[in-house]
Amino acid sequence: MVKRIGRYWRVLATGLSFLAFGIGGLLLRIVVFPLLQLVVWERAARVTAARAILRLTFRSFVGLMRGLGVLRYEFIGLEKLERGGLLILANHPSLIDTVFLMAFVKRADCIVKSHLWNNPFTRGPVRAAGYISNDSGEQLVEACIASLRAGNNLIIFPEGTRTPAGGAISLKRGAANIAVRGARAVTPVVIDCQPPTLGKGDKWWRVPERFVQFRLEVKDDIEIGAFLGAGVSEVMAVRHLTDHLQRFFTGEYQGHA
C-alpha cells in the first residue's frame, strides 16, 4: 500500500512538474523575454541574458522535481564544464537530459529541433536565446563551429533522438563532423538513469515504482588529433571519430547497466 501511494504521488508530482514547466515557458515568452527585448537593445547582450535566465529556469525545474520526490541526481566532474568553448556530447536515455545539462552548463548553446521554434511553450525561449535550429541545412555545421569559437559551450546528443528502450546506441556523424571541421576536442558526458524513465516512446505518467536516480559523469576530453593524421581526409576522420564515439558511449552505457 505504501509503495502504491508513493507511486501515485510521483505520477501527480511528475504531472505538476511538467505543468509548471509549460506555464514557465509560456510566461517567459509573453512576459519575461518581451521585457528583455525592451530593456536590452544590443542583441549579443540580450542573448547572453536570455541564456542565463533559461539556465536558472532549468535549474529551478530540476530542483522542483527533486523537491517533490520524483528524482535524485549526482553530477560527477562538473568542474570540467567550467571552461569555455566546449563541444559537449552526451548519450540521451531520458526526455529531461537536455534540461539537466542546460541547467548546469554556463554559456550553453544547443541545436534545437525546428518544430520547437513554433511550439507556443518553447518558441519564445529558444528564439530569445539564439539557439541553433536544425533546419539551417548546410549552414548548421558552420553555425556550430562559430558558436564554439565565440566561447559558447555547445551541447549535442549525437544520437539525434532518445536512446531506444533496448539501449542500443546509434550515433549520427553530425557531431563528429563539427569536431573535425572545427578542430575541437570532445567533452563526453555519460548519463545514466535508473530505473529508466521518460525514454523514447514512454508516457510521462508511467513512472517507475521507485524514485529515479540520475547520474551524470563528465569524462576526460577526447582529443581528435589521432583522427586527423597526415593524408587522412575529413570524411574518413569523421567516420573514424564516429566509430570511436560509438564504442565509447556503448561501453559506458553497458558499464552502468
Side-chain angles (χ1 to χ4, degrees):
M1 179 63 71
V2 173
K3 289 183 178 180
R4 183 176 298 178
I5 292 174
R7 189 171 187 178
Y8 288 156
W9 166 251
R10 286 193 298 278
V11 172
L12 176 61
T14 301
L16 290 173
S17 298
F18 282 115
L19 178 62
F21 188 86
I23 293 173
L26 195 58
L27 288 175
L28 288 174
R29 177 195 166 193
I30 65 178
V31 178
V32 177
F33 290 133
L35 287 175
L36 186 64
Q37 183 90 12
L38 293 174
V39 174
V40 184
W41 291 2
E42 204 273 317
R43 185 180 183 279
R46 191 167 60 246
V47 166
T48 298
R51 291 180 179 180
I53 292 170
L54 285 174
R55 182 170 179 263
L56 178 61
T57 301
F58 290 141
R59 193 74 169 261
S60 299
F61 177 70
V62 170
L64 175 64
M65 296 192 80
R66 183 175 186 173
L68 291 174
V70 175
L71 56 80
R72 298 288 186 271
Y73 68 87
E74 62 174 333
F75 215 130
I76 302 169
L78 183 60
E79 69 281 355
K80 298 176 184 177
L81 302 182
E82 292 293 326
R83 300 165 292 165
L86 299 176
L87 176 56
I88 301 170
L89 305 187
N91 60 314
H92 201 0
S94 169
L95 177 65
I96 58 174
D97 302 329
T98 306
V99 174
F100 267 109
L101 290 177
M102 299 295 285
F104 287 93
V105 176
K106 297 177 181 177
R107 296 196 65 178
D109 198 357
C110 64
I111 300 173
V112 178
K113 293 181 178 179
S114 58
H115 72 85
L116 295 178
W117 285 76
N118 299 311
N119 183 298
F121 297 103
T122 58
R123 68 185 183 188
V126 299
R127 292 182 181 188
Y131 295 140
I132 302 168
S133 174
N134 71 346
D135 67 352
S136 52
E138 296 180 357
Q139 290 75 42
L140 176 61
V141 173
E142 292 303 324
C144 291
I145 293 173
S147 180
L148 291 167
R149 289 175 178 168
N152 297 314
N153 293 316
L154 182 62
I155 299 170
I156 297 179
F157 297 95
E159 293 172 83
T161 185
R162 279 172 282 171
T163 308
I169 293 176
S170 179
L171 271 57
K172 295 178 170 40
R173 295 183 182 178
N177 198 18
I178 295 168
V180 169
R181 290 178 56 182
R184 189 71 51 163
V186 169
T187 302
V189 178
V190 177
I191 303 174
D192 183 50
C193 173
Q194 296 298 331
T197 188
L198 298 174
K200 190 172 184 178
D202 287 349
K203 305 299 184 182
W204 67 264
W205 60 83
R206 292 179 179 170
V207 303
E209 294 185 359
R210 61 180 175 85
F211 70 82
V212 176
Q213 177 73 40
F214 276 85
R215 184 178 187 274
L216 301 93
E217 183 174 1
V218 186
K219 298 290 187 174
D220 292 335
D221 288 355
I222 298 174
E223 301 294 340
I224 64 166
F227 304 94
L228 295 172
V232 178
S233 67
E234 285 190 348
V235 173
M236 291 303 298
V238 168
R239 181 179 299 175
H240 292 158
L241 179 56
T242 301
D243 290 343
H244 177 82
L245 292 170
Q246 173 80 37
R247 292 191 299 271
F248 175 86
F249 280 109
T250 298
E252 290 293 335
Y253 180 86
Q254 292 173 345
H256 287 102

